[in-house]
Amino acid sequence: AAQEIETLRQQVASNSATQDAHQEQLASFKEKARVAMQKLKEQNEEQLNALRSELEDARNHGAANEEYNNAIAEKAAELDRMQADLEDLRKSSTEQIKQLQAELEASRSAAAEAPQVESEELERLQQELTEALSAKAAAAQEIE
């Protein structure tokens, strides 16, 4: 019976030592797990910060692209207005040229007719003068 008690005491001591070893291993595993979790947390934070930075860069780039696209749209609208103004100017210039050509043609016609009008007027005046001279001559003969 004493030997059994001694064997049981040795087994309890052995179990206690095994439990202590298991406790130490467990504590070591817990520490390793804590360190690993801390490293993962730090890596995740670094990755999150990198992703945040990339997102911010993308947003800034998107804003810059939007500004660039808006500037292009404004320039395109300005170009459209300028083309419309140019087309209006072309139309009004064409109309002015046609009007000036018509005025020039009218002036040429008037200039061409002017000598004819003067010539007709001169012929009429000569006719009146001839008639007046004839009337004078007739009157002079009647007086004699």
Side-chain angles (χ1 to χ4, degrees):
Q3 178 124 6
E4 280 184 35
I5 292 178
E6 186 58 34
T7 304
L8 288 173
R9 280 187 186 159
Q10 287 176 355
Q11 284 178 350
V12 169
S14 173
N15 283 344
S16 180
T18 302
Q19 280 183 344
D20 288 344
H22 284 282
Q23 288 295 331
E24 287 177 20
Q25 279 182 333
L26 184 60
S28 174
F29 287 146
K30 284 182 180 180
E31 181 61 21
K32 287 179 182 176
R34 188 191 66 76
V35 169
M37 290 298 290
Q38 184 64 32
K39 284 182 181 178
L40 283 174
K41 183 179 175 186
E42 289 172 4
Q43 287 175 350
N44 284 340
E45 285 181 17
E46 288 175 9
Q47 288 175 344
L48 280 174
N49 288 336
L51 289 174
R52 283 184 188 119
S53 178
E54 287 179 28
L55 178 61
E56 187 64 28
D57 289 347
R59 285 180 180 157
N60 290 339
H61 185 69
N65 281 345
E66 186 175 347
E67 286 180 28
Y68 179 73
N69 290 339
N70 288 342
I72 287 176
E74 288 175 13
K75 292 298 180 185
E78 185 178 341
L79 180 61
D80 289 343
R81 286 190 300 271
M82 290 172 72
Q83 285 177 331
D85 290 346
L86 185 61
E87 183 62 22
D88 290 345
L89 181 61
R90 187 191 62 76
K91 285 179 183 177
S92 69
S93 295
T94 301
E95 291 171 9
Q96 286 178 344
I97 288 171
K98 286 180 182 178
Q99 184 179 2
L100 289 173
Q101 286 174 336
E103 289 176 14
L104 176 62
E105 200 54 44
S107 295
R108 283 182 181 162
S109 294
E113 290 176 10
Q116 185 179 359
V117 170
E118 289 176 8
S119 167
E120 289 174 2
E121 182 70 17
L122 188 57
E123 286 178 23
R124 186 183 63 77
L125 289 174
Q126 283 178 344
Q127 180 67 30
E128 286 179 13
L129 183 58
T130 303
E131 289 173 4
L133 288 174
S134 295
K136 181 182 172 187
Q141 266 186 346
E142 277 186 26
I143 293 179
E144 290 181 6

